[in-house]
């Protein structure tokens, strides 16, 4: 009796461990994102839902580049639909059943057939992706930031997906042969348009061997899926989990509208708007913030930190960046990767120090992102427009610029000259207000 239920016990134990570890990582992820400052995202709910359904679910921005976009949609659909099959595997694993949904009859046949076709399309797409990443000279895959672990991680995902799809098809092929042989427990169920070709390789195999192949593939498949589930936290593929909330919480302001610091706005009005009554400024709004701009991840908002975790390192942002295209150091993708690296460093610090961050004399600015990168940005929004999941590298760049200007007075000389002129003359030019109309006399 114990031996007959041992596989079920092992499966339940394995499944429980994987889910517990996944929940632990999710809690850590949420904690890390909450290290950011609060941001109001309760506005324009209808538009936010529309953005999420259109961009995350509908993959609208992926098809701007048709070849990679269509291939990505195939992998995306394969990932979602084939994992419906996981529900059956989990039930079978817990209760010791086999193809528990076979009672669905012809509908079940259609499901299995569609899973197999999608598995084949995923294999083809993954193969093309591997060639694009490793053999073709595509610039966004050759950038400095996409070497070492980033390159290995991208390939690891492709290898894992390939193995999972091959295990699925091989499992079905062995199952089909066992059905044809009338082996007990392997009921006639499912339609196998792809694995039926693979099953021809098993024509002369014994029932014992076929059962061993089928069971081995079944176990390796579920172990692979659970491994992939927990690999997400350490991988660029965390966007599988975060793409939906990231597109929902993305800014709904017009693309060119940057965040406005109310305190700075009031000061500018006092200086430049003659209609502003300086005595009408509310007292409470005159209190300056603790810090202008951002120098570390604690100064960014939780939405910006979620952006960093959502980045899949595709490089479309960097591919569109005019500063990067002209040879400057700025790479919007690298801005997000460095923000995530710093966030992970802070996370490990908190874990090591029992839930409290101990000052490590590091910060995002200078230790990860240099002023040279920040000032190379033209604030054109090309990176924001190009991102398939509404990540906003520009918002981080502008917040860090604000810190450089207002906390360290470290703006480029040309910008300092302009700001000095605005302060002294009320305009960017080096002329006093009294001299502005001198050009009239020259005529």
């Amino acid at each position: 009796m114990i031996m007959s239920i041992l596989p079920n016990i092992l499966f339940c134990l394995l499944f429980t461990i994987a889910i517990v570890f996944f929940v632990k990582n999710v809690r850590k992820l949420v904690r890390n994102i909450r290290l950011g400052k609060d941001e109001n995202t309760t506005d324009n709910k209808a538009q936010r839902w529309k953005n999420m359904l259109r961009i995350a679910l509908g993959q609208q921005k992926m098809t701007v580049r048709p070849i990679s976009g269509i291939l990505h949609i195939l992998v995306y659909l394969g990932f979602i639909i084939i994992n419906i099959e996981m529900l059956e595997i989990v039930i079978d694993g817990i209760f010791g059943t086999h193809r528990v949904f076979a009672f669905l009859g012809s509908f079940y046949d259609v499901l299995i057939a569609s899973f197999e076709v999608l598995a084949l399309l995923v294999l083809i797409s993954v193969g093309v992706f591997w060639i694009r990443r490793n053999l073709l000279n595509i610039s966004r895959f050759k950038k400095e930031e996409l070497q070492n672990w980033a390159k290995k991680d991208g390939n690891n995902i492709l290898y894992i997906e390939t193995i999972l799809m091959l295990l699925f098809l091989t499992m079905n092929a062995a199952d089909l042969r066992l059905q044809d042989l009338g082996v007990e427990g392997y009921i006639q169920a499912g339609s196998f348009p792809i694995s039926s070709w693979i099953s021809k390789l098993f024509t002369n195999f014994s029932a014992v061997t076929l059962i061993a192949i089928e069971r081995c593939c079944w176990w390796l498949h579920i172990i692979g899926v659970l491994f992939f589930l927990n690999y997400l936290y350490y991988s660029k593929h965390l966007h599988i989990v975060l793409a939906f909330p990231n597109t929902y919480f993305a800014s709904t302001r017009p693309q060119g509208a940057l965040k406005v610091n109310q305190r700075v706005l009031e000061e500018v009005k006092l200086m430049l708007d003659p209609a502003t009554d300086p005595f009408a400024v509310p007292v409470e709004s005159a209190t300056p913030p603790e810090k202008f701009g951002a120098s570390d991840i604690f100064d960014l908002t939780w939405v910006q930190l979620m952006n960093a975790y959502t980045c899949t390192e595709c490089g479309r942002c960097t591919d569109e960046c005019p500063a990067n295209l002209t040879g400057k150091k700025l790479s919007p993708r690298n801005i997000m990767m460095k923000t995530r690296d710093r966030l992970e460093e802070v996370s490990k610090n908190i874990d090591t120090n029992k839930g409290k961050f101990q000052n490590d004399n590091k910060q995002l600015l200078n230790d990860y992102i240099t002023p040279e990168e920040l000032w190379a940005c033209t604030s054109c929004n090309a990176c924001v427009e190009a991102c398939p999941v509404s990540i906003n590298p520009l918002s981080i760049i502008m917040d860090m610029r604000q810190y450089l200007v207002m906390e360290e007075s470290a703006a480029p000389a040309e910008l300092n000259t302009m700001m000095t002129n605005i302060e002294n003359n009320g305009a960017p030019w080096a002329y006093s207000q009294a001299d502005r109309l001198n050009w009239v006399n020259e005529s």
Side-chain angles (χ1 to χ4, degrees):
M1 178 64 179
I2 294 179
M3 292 301 295
S4 63
I5 64 171
L6 182 59
N8 309 79
I9 295 173
L10 290 176
F11 176 85
C12 292
L13 182 62
L14 174 67
F15 187 74
T16 302
I17 292 173
I19 295 302
V20 168
F21 194 67
F22 176 72
V23 171
K24 179 182 177 182
N25 281 337
V26 169
R27 292 180 64 184
K28 182 187 292 187
L29 177 67
V30 172
R31 181 202 68 186
N32 293 349
I33 291 174
R34 285 180 174 173
L35 293 175
K37 292 164 31 178
D38 190 29
E39 180 171 349
N40 183 13
T41 56
T42 60
D43 61 323
N44 301 322
K45 289 185 178 180
Q47 182 62 45
R48 292 181 182 279
W49 280 107
K50 181 179 177 181
N51 290 343
M52 184 181 71
L53 295 174
R54 178 173 54 87
I55 299 172
L57 182 63
Q59 301 279 288
Q60 184 186 59
K61 296 178 77 172
M62 288 300 302
T63 54
V64 173
R65 302 186 182 192
I67 295 177
S68 58
I70 292 171
L71 291 173
H72 184 274
I73 289 174
L74 290 175
V75 175
Y76 166 72
L77 289 174
F79 175 82
I80 292 177
I81 297 176
I82 291 176
N83 275 291
I84 297 175
E85 173 243 356
M86 283 301 301
L87 178 61
E88 182 178 59
I89 288 180
V90 169
I91 294 174
D92 286 345
I94 293 174
F95 297 103
T97 53
H98 186 71
R99 296 196 178 275
V100 70
F101 292 151
F103 69 89
L104 296 173
S106 58
F107 179 67
Y108 184 77
D109 295 344
V110 172
L111 278 179
I112 298 300
S114 64
F115 293 163
E116 292 213 343
V117 171
L118 279 170
L120 178 62
L121 292 175
V122 169
L123 284 172
I124 294 171
S125 301
V126 166
V128 175
F129 282 143
W130 189 91
I131 291 172
R132 284 168 58 84
R133 294 183 68 90
N134 296 281
L135 300 182
L136 300 184
N137 190 30
I138 298 176
S139 61
R140 61 191 171 109
F141 297 135
K142 303 296 180 182
K143 301 291 184 181
E144 180 182 356
E145 69 266 18
L146 210 65
Q147 304 306 312
N148 303 318
W149 166 249
K151 184 178 180 69
K152 292 178 182 177
D153 178 42
N155 284 331
N156 286 344
I157 295 296
L158 298 180
Y159 298 145
I160 292 171
E161 289 176 343
T162 299
I163 292 170
L164 289 177
M165 294 303 102
L166 289 175
L167 287 170
F168 170 68
L169 292 174
T170 305
M171 174 185 73
N172 280 355
D175 193 295
L176 176 59
R177 286 293 301 142
L178 289 165
Q179 291 183 30
D180 292 341
L181 293 173
V183 176
E184 184 181 359
Y186 291 87
I187 59 175
Q188 293 287 331
S191 178
F192 308 94
I194 308 302
S195 59
S196 59
W197 292 91
I198 302 175
S199 69
K200 294 178 181 179
L201 300 174
F202 303 150
T203 301
N204 297 320
F205 286 24
S206 67
V208 174
T209 303
L210 289 170
I211 291 173
I213 293 173
E214 190 272 337
R215 287 291 85 191
C216 183
C217 289
W218 188 93
W219 277 101
L220 290 176
H221 181 72
I222 187 63
I223 291 171
V225 170
L226 295 177
F227 170 80
F228 181 77
L229 179 69
N230 285 287
Y231 180 69
L232 288 179
Y233 177 82
Y234 308 96
S235 162
K236 73 188 188 73
H237 265 55
L238 196 55
H239 76 285
I240 292 174
V241 178
L242 292 179
F244 286 85
N246 198 78
T247 51
Y248 178 85
F249 291 115
S251 173
T252 57
R253 295 189 298 268
Q255 280 286 45
L258 301 175
K259 283 192 302 184
V260 176
N261 186 308
Q262 192 62 33
R263 173 59 176 159
V264 175
L265 178 63
E266 290 167 0
E267 290 290 342
V268 172
K269 281 183 177 180
L270 286 173
M271 185 183 303
L272 299 179
D273 186 357
T276 300
D277 180 359
F279 300 103
V281 177
V283 175
E284 61 270 16
S285 67
T287 303
E290 294 180 5
K291 185 177 185 177
F292 287 102
S295 64
D296 207 353
I297 58 105
F298 302 102
D299 307 317
L300 300 174
T301 69
W302 65 267
V303 174
Q304 290 171 316
L305 298 186
M306 184 169 63
N307 278 186
Y309 273 126
T310 307
C311 178
T312 188
E313 302 169 13
C314 69
R316 293 188 178 206
C317 54
T318 296
D319 227 20
E320 300 291 339
C321 176
N324 189 273
L325 291 172
T326 54
K328 294 181 176 61
K329 192 175 181 180
L330 173 65
S331 167
R333 170 174 58 189
N334 210 13
I335 294 292
M336 304 314 301
M337 292 172 68
K338 288 177 178 178
T339 302
R340 183 174 60 209
D341 288 345
R342 173 56 180 163
L343 185 50
E344 276 299 292
E345 183 179 51
V346 169
S347 176
K348 291 175 182 176
N349 181 309
I350 294 173
D351 290 339
T352 302
N353 294 287
K354 299 179 180 180
K356 293 185 178 181
F357 176 73
Q358 296 294 324
N359 184 15
D360 58 1
N361 296 315
K362 291 183 181 181
Q363 58 179 5
L364 184 60
L365 179 63
N366 294 320
D367 290 303
Y368 285 85
I369 300 173
T370 64
E372 179 185 354
E373 295 171 82
L374 299 174
W375 291 116
C377 177
T378 67
S379 66
C380 67
N381 262 301
C383 57
V384 183
E385 180 65 28
C387 180
V389 287
S390 302
I391 293 170
N392 192 338
L394 179 60
S395 69
I396 296 177
I397 292 172
M398 298 305 290
D399 283 352
M400 296 183 76
R401 274 186 179 181
Q402 187 180 83
Y403 175 83
L404 286 170
V405 172
M406 302 192 71
E407 295 286 346
E408 295 192 343
S409 300
E414 299 87 350
L415 189 55
N416 276 330
T417 299
M418 182 197 73
M419 289 188 292
T420 299
N421 288 334
I422 290 176
E423 182 178 3
N424 295 331
N425 306 321
W429 304 283
Y431 305 104
S432 68
Q433 296 185 33
D435 294 333
R436 287 184 186 175
L437 291 178
N438 286 351
W439 64 275
V440 175
N441 299 326
E442 294 176 4
S443 64

